[in-house]
Structures are given as C-alpha cells and as structure tokens.
Amino acid sequence: VSITETLLTFVGAPALIFAVISLAALGPSQMRAPARYRPGRAWTHEPAWFLPHAAAAASTGGSGHGEVTGQVTGQVSAPSGANAGPVGGASGEW
Amino acid sequence: VQAVSGELVVTPQLAYGSTAKSGAHGFTARQLSRIDEALTLSSRESGLTFSVYVGELAEPSRERAYELFGQLPATAVAPVLVAVSPGQRVLQIVTGAESAARIPNKSCALAALSMRASFTAGDLAGGIVTGLRMLSDAAGRI
C-alpha cells in the first residue's frame, strides 16, 4: 500500500464526507439568507414596521387597548390621550 | 408593511418563522424572531408599546419619524417608535407624552448610542434588540 493510497483513504475520504455533509447542512440557508447589511451600502429592501404581538400588549393590563387587528392606513388618527403626539426621543447617525 | 399609492399601510403583526418572506425585509427568519422576542418582552415588561420601523425615512427624517409616530394605532398604549434607516444611516427614537415620562431623553440618547455601535459594525438586528432592551430597562417595570 503506497503512501498516496493511505493518505487518500484516511485523510481524503473523511474530508470529502465532511465537506458534503457541511454543504448539505449549511448550503440551503446560505442561499436563502438576504445579503448582510454593510454600512454605506444602499438599503433596497421593503420598509418594515413591527409592533409587538397583540397578546403581549394586552397582557400589560390597563384599559382601552384590545387586540390590534387589521390594517391601519396612513392617516394620522385623531389624537387620543395615549398617542397625542411626539414629545421627546433621540436621533443618531452612523 | 408596504407602500400603497404613496401611503404606508401598517401590518401590525410581525410575521416570522418559515412563513416569513425573510428576504423582503432584509432580515433572516432568525433575526426576525429575535426582534419579535425583544419587542414582545420589552413591551410586556415596561407596559409601553415599542414599535420598530426599518426602512427609508423621507427628509427631514425627524419630521418623518414624527409622522410615523402619529400613524401608530390609537390603541397602542404609551408608544415608543424606533425608526431605523440603514440606507441613510439615520436612526430616530420618538417618545410620546406618556412614554417620555418613563424614558427621559437622556436614556433615549444612550440607547441610540449603543444602537449606533452595532449598526456601525453592520449588525442591524443586534442593534435593534440592544436598543429595545435599553429603552425598556430605562422605563423600568410596570
């Protein structure tokens, strides 16, 4: 048995099996993942707006905030006590 | 959330898991679920309604953030808006009367600072999660 054959059997074969399994495991998710954000590059994705799940908001107690359902169109709603308008906050740039 | 004839339509529920079109928002399903968890936990613990917007903010971005804040559903209790525009590299945190009483501007600035640190490193989801945690910590528990 030559050294080449030994190397192929004990190093080459495991490496090949390792590579095939890693590709099968990681490949599909790598293909699906959106491109990573890099500062300075344009952001071409759709705008997204997230609110907590209604159940979480409802479990905080208090009154007058039932389930958040359906869609809210872009009109500014009549100011209510809870959501009367912006008061403070902070800004940042990077 | 989609722009429909120039107006934003809010879909108040966060879609995540295998059904989410993760590519459309620019986040992976895993990142979406991290944001969802942070949103839910921080809102539940503090009693405020945290809301995260990721996308373009028309100039002037501060006024646009105020506009978005006004569009939050009236059912939202003590809302706090965290608006991030990765393309413009701008982030805005907006508090209302009720939430400003719980989170002073100084704490908002601190949260914005650590969000900036993550964003500079290219970690959008991480920065959002950190910001939400810091804001809810600043607000304290109900």
Side-chain angles (χ1 to χ4, degrees):
Chain A
V1 184
S2 71
I3 289 182
T4 325
E5 271 179 357
T6 314
L7 275 179
L8 272 177
T9 313
F10 292 102
V11 180
L16 189 74
I17 293 168
F18 181 80
V20 166
I21 293 175
S22 327
L23 267 181
L26 298 173
S29 64
Q30 289 288 316
M31 299 279 275
R32 262 188 280 111
R36 194 180 143 78
Y37 168 69
R38 307 249 178 242
R41 294 248 185 103
W43 182 255
T44 52
H45 301 286
E46 290 170 31
W49 201 350
F50 307 124
L51 276 173
H53 284 284
S59 72
T60 57
S63 59
H65 55 283
E67 204 170 302
V68 184
T69 52
Q71 299 194 323
V72 180
T73 46
Q75 282 95 33
V76 176
S77 52
S80 67
N83 196 2
V87 167
S91 314
E93 286 181 25
W94 70 93
Chain B
V1 179
Q2 335 165 278
V4 177
S5 63
E7 278 189 327
L8 261 164
V9 176
V10 183
T11 312
Q13 291 276 328
L14 177 59
Y16 65 101
S18 56
T19 53
K21 283 200 302 170
S22 49
H25 300 128
F27 293 110
T28 62
R30 195 196 179 109
Q31 288 173 324
L32 279 177
S33 71
R34 273 181 69 204
I35 294 174
D36 178 47
E37 197 187 321
L39 262 183
T40 308
L41 276 180
S42 51
S43 296
R44 189 188 293 155
E45 281 178 8
S46 64
L48 310 176
T49 307
F50 287 98
S51 173
V52 173
Y53 173 87
V54 183
E56 214 57 23
L57 290 168
E59 293 289 344
S61 57
R62 188 72 189 163
E63 271 62 39
R64 178 68 187 134
Y66 283 168
E67 245 177 78
L68 290 173
F69 184 82
Q71 288 172 18
L72 284 167
T75 47
V77 178
V80 179
L81 175 70
V82 178
V84 181
S85 174
Q88 294 157 291
R89 294 199 262 174
V90 166
L91 81 99
Q92 302 284 355
I93 300 174
V94 184
T95 53
E98 266 184 56
S99 43
R102 302 272 305 277
I103 310 177
N105 287 354
K106 219 187 274 181
S107 305
C108 291
L110 200 62
L113 202 68
S114 46
M115 288 173 80
R116 267 182 50 188
S118 296
F119 294 157
T120 311
D123 187 7
L124 272 187
I128 290 168
V129 169
T130 309
L132 287 173
R133 281 206 192 117
M134 289 186 68
L135 288 172
S136 96
D137 281 351
R141 288 171 171 271
I142 33 172

